[in-house]
Amino acid sequence: NPGIDPNRLQIGQVICIPAAAPPTPSCSGFYYTIKAGDTLYKLAQQFNVTVSAIMAANPGINPNRLQIGQVICIPRSA
């Protein structure tokens, strides 16, 4: 709500109230920050886990849209 004075709210004024952040799922391994050039295949090889295991540890992750600075869970290898 940029530009809104919290001390001068008006009746009928519409403001945005953000939703609570979703809980962060626990990681049964360690957190890894994506760097330039990373792919799930490369990370799976580097950390001796499967791409499927990384995907399962990070529900909702899009393997084709990893972002530099994105933090993902790398599960422990079996």
Side-chain angles (χ1 to χ4, degrees), residues 1 3 13 16 30 35 38 41 43 49 61 67 70 73-74:
N1 298 291
Q13 183 176 12
C16 176
F30 62 94
K35 298 179 186 118
D38 281 342
Y41 179 76
L43 295 173
V49 296
I61 191 173
Q67 301 291 319
Q70 180 179 8
C73 176
I74 303 293

Side-chain angles (χ1 to χ4, degrees), residues 46-78:
Q46 181 178 346
F47 297 114
N48 195 33
V49 296
T50 64
V51 170
S52 296
I54 295 173
M55 293 289 293
N58 297 279
I61 191 173
N62 183 337
N64 299 315
R65 293 194 174 260
L66 296 179
Q67 301 291 319
I68 295 170
Q70 180 179 8
V71 177
I72 64 170
C73 176
I74 303 293
R76 290 187 189 103
S77 59

